[in-house]
Amino acid sequence: MNGQSPSPRTPDRIPAEILCAQDYERLAHRFIDAPAHAYIEGGSGTEATLRANLAAFTRHCIRPRLLRDLSSGHTRLTMLGREHPHPIMLAPVAFQTLVHPQGELASASAAAAMDACMVCSTLSAYSLEEVAEQAGSEKWFQLYFQPFRSSTLDLVRRAEATGYTALVVTLDTSIQSPSLRARRAGFAMPPDIVPVNLNAYPKPGQVRLARGHSVIFQGMMSEAPTWDDLAWLMAHTTLPVVIKGVLRTDDALELRRAGAAAIIVSNHGGRSLDGAPASLAALPSIRDAVGDSYPLLLDGGIRSGTDIFKALALGADAVLVGRLQMHALAVAGALGVAHLIRTLREELEICMALSGCATLAAIGPDMLQPA
Ligand SMILES: Cc1cc2nc3c(=O)[nH]c(=O)nc-3n(C[C@H](O)[C@H](O)[C@H](O)COP(=O)(O)O)c2cc1C
């Protein structure tokens, strides 16, 4: 646990005030010190994309159907050849010990208990092997390309060896820095929280910029992956490769052609390109382009079961939750994350029941109307 904790932790329990999934967001600030809270909540730049993610869900209302037989209703789906009891996944979120000493281990065991798929970040505070031990059979590994291909390949081999069933390659954050909100709050990553997965890998030497060269283009972007790197990666793994961070139909089509097994429509929770569209707004055209049967997931702004319903209606097969996961982890550790998943699932089931949808397949665009 980091040294900035507001008060010593009491044993994890779910506060009586938690009545819905979003209550975890409301209460989280009591359990996370202010700078770390700003780091988790913040979005890049003016936070326009962060706000857009949330606002997008308010633009749609649900048109309920009456008199449907829901007695055999369920939330099951099949994705990448595997059956999932519900469409709620834990998004890759780095450095989870920032909010709870058990960090990713707690999230992984919560996911296992609730039959949810967890995506372990490259930047986890516990090693991907330790996380895999706690996780259930549904676990994906989120891969950031490393400066050296040998390091990237080693991460892939480790993920394959420890039972991860897919690689999630995040492509939307070649440049990462804490948000203005985090910097203004004085956030600094505690020195004991490090990306342990990368400890053994060589660090690139400092790039020497020639006169007139840009810190961004010839500096940071000189190591960013390209289509060639993706092709190389796909040729070197047997795991399905899921691409995270897609917002355009042309990219989606190219990725499908290149062999991506699935796509996550995402803008990194508003933490990358400020000014990018809301994930939900980008979803329908991508669904139209890739067709009905191609696996599409969405993250960004999911705060309730109703949000999940709307994402499914607009074309997602499943959703991932980022910040809510950290909120629940901070509030009540593994118990909190498990309770969050159960609550989201219940909220989705209530929404399906009240709108007359017995299965996820019944949740189509015709279930929505503009608000
Ligand atoms: C604190 C924090 C750390 C994150 N770390 C990662 C990461 O390591 N890898 C990644 O692909 N996405 C990361 N994300 C983005 C999430 O996977 C996800 O795209 C985003 O949080 C979804 O939006 P939401 O927070 O509104 O649910 C992070 C998000 C947050 C809030």
Side-chain angles (χ1 to χ4, degrees):
M1 185 62 172
N2 72 81
Q4 308 174 2
S5 174
S7 56
R9 282 201 78 87
T10 49
D12 290 327
R13 60 172 193 87
I14 294 164
E17 297 113 293
I18 300 281
L19 301 177
C20 66
Q22 194 156 13
D23 281 342
Y24 280 109
E25 179 178 49
R26 209 167 47 77
L27 256 60
H29 69 96
R30 290 194 211 154
F31 295 80
I32 309 174
D33 63 291
H37 190 253
Y39 164 74
I40 293 160
E41 299 307 289
S44 53
T46 63
E47 302 194 336
T49 297
L50 175 66
R51 286 190 297 277
N53 272 351
L54 298 170
F57 288 93
T58 66
R59 303 227 163 81
H60 304 274
C61 310
I62 300 169
R63 301 165 59 219
R65 291 181 197 280
L66 302 177
L67 293 173
R68 299 285 160 142
D69 177 6
L70 299 177
S71 55
S72 54
H74 66 82
T75 58
R76 288 191 295 277
L77 73 153
T78 305
M79 207 170 30
L80 304 186
R82 299 171 76 96
E83 178 122 330
H84 298 260
H86 59 78
I88 303 157
M89 298 177 53
L90 297 183
V93 174
F95 305 126
Q96 298 192 7
T97 52
L98 204 49
V99 300
H100 192 282
Q102 289 300 304
E104 293 84 1
L105 302 184
S107 297
S109 54
M114 291 296 123
D115 291 320
C117 180
M118 178 196 185
V119 187
C120 174
S121 168
T122 291
L123 305 179
S124 53
Y126 285 95
S127 73
L128 66 95
E129 288 83 4
E130 291 169 302
V131 177
E133 245 174 66
Q134 297 300 315
S137 54
E138 295 311 319
K139 46 185 177 284
W140 294 359
F141 179 67
Q142 180 266 320
L143 180 73
Y144 279 126
F145 275 96
Q146 296 303 302
F148 297 103
R149 279 188 171 177
S150 55
S151 312
T152 304
L153 197 55
D154 193 61
L155 282 172
V156 171
R157 292 288 171 262
R158 289 167 59 192
E160 289 168 347
T162 42
Y164 289 89
T165 55
L167 293 176
V168 175
V169 180
T170 302
L171 293 178
D172 60 4
T173 33
S174 304
I175 297 173
Q176 288 191 337
S177 65
S179 63
L180 296 174
R181 196 197 302 201
R183 281 151 64 191
R184 288 185 183 123
F187 174 75
M189 193 61 75
D192 58 328
I193 301 186
V194 294
V196 287
N197 287 322
L198 310 179
N199 273 351
Y201 301 143
K203 310 269 175 294
Q206 199 129 45
V207 179
R208 281 180 178 276
L209 290 179
R211 202 182 153 81
H213 277 184
S214 146
V215 177
I216 304 299
F217 294 119
Q218 288 76 38
M220 295 174 179
M221 293 307 286
S222 64
E223 282 166 6
T226 63
W227 287 101
D228 285 346
D229 294 297
L230 185 62
W232 166 83
L233 175 71
M234 287 183 176
H236 281 84
T237 183
T238 50
L239 291 177
V241 173
V242 178
I243 303 296
K244 177 169 182 278
V246 179
L247 292 170
R248 296 175 58 108
T249 54
D250 50 2
D251 278 345
L253 288 170
E254 192 58 36
L255 286 163
R256 191 184 60 173
R257 248 194 310 274
I263 280 173
I264 304 178
V265 177
S266 170
N267 52 35
H268 218 95
R271 297 166 79 81
S272 188
L273 173 66
D274 189 33
S279 309
L280 192 74
L283 177 64
S285 59
I286 296 181
R287 171 52 80 201
D288 279 351
V290 297
D292 284 346
S293 58
Y294 188 75
L296 268 192
L297 297 89
L298 172 131
D299 73 19
I302 299 282
R303 300 291 183 270
S304 68
T306 309
D307 292 343
I308 298 172
F309 184 98
K310 291 177 183 177
L312 300 181
L314 292 175
D317 295 306
V319 300
L320 302 93
V321 289
R323 289 181 182 80
L324 268 191
Q325 177 190 164
M326 284 293 257
H327 299 145
L329 180 63
V331 171
L335 200 60
V337 179
H339 181 249
L340 168 71
I341 298 167
R342 199 186 73 188
T343 306
L344 283 171
R345 182 176 174 174
E346 273 173 14
E347 290 176 2
L348 171 64
E349 289 183 0
I350 290 169
C351 192
M352 289 170 67
L354 292 177
S355 60
C357 293
T359 63
L360 302 185
I363 310 175
D366 62 317
M367 294 306 300
L368 301 185
Q369 69 179 49

